[in-house]
Amino acid sequence: MPWNRDQIARRAAAELPAGSYVNLGIGLPTAVAGHLRPDSQVVLHSENGILGVGPYPWAGEEDPDLVNAGKETITAVNGASCFDSTLSFAMIRGGRVDVAVLGTMQVAMDGDLANWTVPGALVKGMGGAMDLAVGAKRVLALCTHTDKHGRPKLVEQCSLPLTGRGVVDRVITDLGVFDTGVGAFVLVETAPGVTVEQIRQATGAPLTVPPWTWP
């Protein structure tokens, strides 16, 4: 069975090295916070100015003054700090963020990222995604493998407006884990019960399948 959204987030949490500074983007990536081990020593950053983001609060324990960049209520771990967005983006642009975990609408096989708008949509701008895509040392993209119309999100070339060129290192979808590469996506892991043929049919780009991923 393909992974559900919670399982995608859990798989993404396994990618985060101990002691790393990690930014979780708006949407699906925010669920990663709930899957970190208490002893992981991963420090979560939110671009609105928090270092030390914790998981979502229990019902009834929400603090309306403690929110992430997506305006969702969060918790803060012991030792967390708050600061203005100027300092927050100085951390991002200064290369202090080890990993950015971002949602996406399309990823190209060469690592191009499109995650901020679709043609005709009225949006104010791409926000912090542009800075995170180029400022983080490593970028993970999380998404379903296809959109609601069944069209691939892993493509040969993005048709949507780009957030960054060649910035994505690894993609985790409901069907598996993929690395970007030259001329093809590289299959790293399949979700339980998902076949390579299913993945090929749902992918809009060439796919390299190393021998160790064969069923």
Side-chain angles (χ1 to χ4, degrees):
M1 293 289 292
W3 287 321
N4 58 34
R5 290 173 63 88
D6 201 51
Q7 290 168 324
I8 293 173
R10 183 182 302 123
R11 180 59 184 82
E15 292 282 327
L16 306 179
S20 57
Y21 292 90
V22 178
N23 181 282
L24 302 180
I26 294 172
L28 174 56
T30 59
V32 173
H35 295 286
L36 293 174
R37 292 170 53 91
D39 60 352
S40 69
Q41 298 181 327
V42 172
V43 181
L44 298 180
H45 169 270
S46 183
E47 62 262 37
N48 58 318
I50 306 173
L51 195 61
V53 175
Y56 288 122
W58 293 103
E61 297 182 0
E62 300 92 341
D63 182 346
D65 292 324
L66 196 58
V67 297
N68 61 21
K71 300 180 178 63
E72 299 172 308
T73 53
I74 55 172
T75 59
V77 301
N78 290 337
S81 59
C82 298
F83 34 84
D84 64 20
S85 60
T86 303
L87 182 57
S88 182
F89 276 86
M91 294 176 184
I92 297 169
R93 296 171 182 172
R96 305 298 182 180
V97 175
D98 296 305
V99 185
V101 185
L102 304 176
T104 188
M105 292 180 281
Q106 285 183 339
V107 178
M109 59 188 181
D110 61 359
D112 288 355
L113 174 70
N115 77 340
W116 71 281
T117 191
V118 295
L122 183 62
V123 296
K124 294 180 180 179
M126 65 179 67
M130 173 180 63
D131 300 273
L132 288 164
V134 299
K137 297 173 185 175
R138 188 166 188 252
V139 175
L140 302 179
L142 309 186
C143 61
T144 54
H145 207 89
T146 59
D147 65 17
K148 62 183 179 181
H149 302 293
R151 296 174 297 207
K153 292 186 179 181
L154 276 63
V155 295
E156 192 166 346
Q157 186 173 4
C158 292
S159 59
L160 298 176
L162 293 183
T163 308
R165 287 190 178 276
V167 294
V168 176
D169 299 288
R170 176 163 286 187
V171 189
I172 303 175
T173 78
D174 53 333
L175 300 187
V177 182
F178 310 85
D179 284 340
T180 56
V182 179
F185 285 99
V186 179
L187 178 62
V188 176
E189 178 184 341
T190 60
V194 174
T195 67
V196 172
E197 185 55 33
Q198 284 178 283
I199 292 173
R200 287 193 189 279
Q201 291 179 0
T203 304
L207 181 69
T208 298
V209 183
W212 56 84
T213 60
W214 292 353

